[in-house]
Amino acid sequence: MHREPVLLVIAHGSRDPRHAATVHALVRRVRSLRPGLRVETGFLDFNIPSVQGVLESLAARGVRDVVALPLLLTRAFHAKADIPAVLRDAPPRLRIRQAEVLGPSPLLLSALERRLYEAGLTPADKSSTGVVLASAGSTDPEAIAVIADIAREWRHTGWCAVRPAFASAALPRTEDAVRALRALGCARVAVAPYILAPGRLPDRIARGATEADVLADVLGPSPEVAHLLLERYDEARRPALAAVGA
């Protein structure tokens, strides 16, 4: 009988305990959506279990196939360098496929809007509301360009305007984007963190949102993000399924 690969969710990790708690809540939601799937969590730094530890444990238990899914919104340094390096050191008996990062995806835009509506906006507010798409930031130009593209795409769904902002490594900062939207004449300004879990950078975004009218929560364990994890898992395992059926 063909067994589904284990889904290993790889999170960055943080000294902030809210980060790991949010990651575990998201993974619980993924398990609830697909009860037969084995889902494990490993952290690159700060938290346990480590990715390496989980991989060694899986190999010791006789697992052969793993889909390693980076819990990342953009293909920046961690997706391109850190995670492949960790996976190369995995026990040789494991067959590992690295899934794509989560973003960009229409499901993430849906999750962002969910958080904005939970924070008090309604769909009727869209045309008069400017939104700051506030991300962690990166030194990777590709990742920065993707955030700018997402902001442009999201603007076309009916918002007054959408401006990207970054908590680190790139400009503008959240507070500057808020002021720019005010200067454009948007009646209301909302800040939508394009971030998966709480921590130092989301806190910096929140401090930069003090002049905004609405601050949404991080994406966290929203249903859309949980569905997206399974979508990326299925995309990664598809070639293996095709081979099995050949």
Side-chain angles (χ1 to χ4, degrees):
M1 187 174 102
H2 177 65
R3 282 183 142 183
E4 283 191 313
V6 171
L7 169 56
L8 171 58
V9 176
I10 300 179
H12 182 274
S14 170
R15 291 186 179 90
D16 189 321
R18 297 173 298 167
H19 174 90
T22 301
V23 170
H24 290 310
L26 174 59
V27 168
R28 284 194 297 273
R29 179 158 242 160
V30 171
R31 289 188 183 117
S32 73
L33 290 172
R34 196 170 294 183
L37 176 62
R38 181 171 179 180
V39 187
E40 301 288 345
T41 309
F43 295 91
L44 289 173
D45 211 349
F46 302 117
N47 303 103
I48 54 172
S50 68
V51 175
Q52 188 68 28
V54 174
L55 291 170
E56 289 171 1
S57 176
L58 290 173
R61 288 179 165 86
V63 169
R64 291 298 302 277
D65 292 295
V66 175
V67 169
L69 196 159
L71 198 58
L72 300 168
L73 295 174
T74 58
R75 270 186 52 76
F77 180 78
H78 294 300
K80 294 177 178 177
D82 282 0
I83 292 174
V86 171
L87 297 181
R88 279 195 296 272
D89 287 338
R93 66 166 288 130
L94 292 176
R95 289 188 296 249
I96 302 175
R97 295 176 182 273
Q98 182 176 331
E100 286 297 327
V101 297
L102 298 179
S105 166
L107 283 168
L108 291 173
L109 291 182
S110 297
L112 286 164
E113 295 205 352
R114 170 190 291 276
R115 293 301 189 227
L116 286 169
Y117 297 150
E118 289 170 351
L121 293 180
T122 70
D125 296 323
K126 287 184 82 166
S127 62
S128 59
T129 302
V131 179
V132 177
L133 179 68
S135 78
S138 173
T139 55
D140 188 315
E142 179 189 347
I144 296 301
V146 166
I147 300 298
D149 287 344
I150 293 167
R152 278 192 292 271
E153 179 185 342
W154 202 17
R155 160 71 181 85
H156 294 311
T157 66
W159 296 101
C160 171
V162 180
R163 291 287 177 90
F166 307 94
S168 68
L171 296 173
R173 295 285 181 257
T174 302
E175 53 269 36
D176 297 323
V178 168
R179 290 172 192 139
L181 289 170
R182 288 259 188 250
L184 271 180
C186 297
R188 189 183 299 100
V189 176
V191 174
Y194 188 64
I195 284 185
L196 286 165
R200 180 175 56 87
L201 294 179
D203 286 349
R204 187 179 295 173
I205 288 170
R207 289 194 297 273
T210 53
E211 294 179 25
D213 301 291
V214 172
L215 171 62
D217 200 356
V218 296
L219 297 172
S222 64
E224 295 85 359
V225 176
H227 281 287
L228 181 54
L229 261 69
L230 290 172
E231 189 175 287
R232 293 288 184 257
Y233 168 80
D234 288 336
E235 289 166 358
R237 64 191 282 266
R238 218 163 269 147
L241 287 178
V244 168

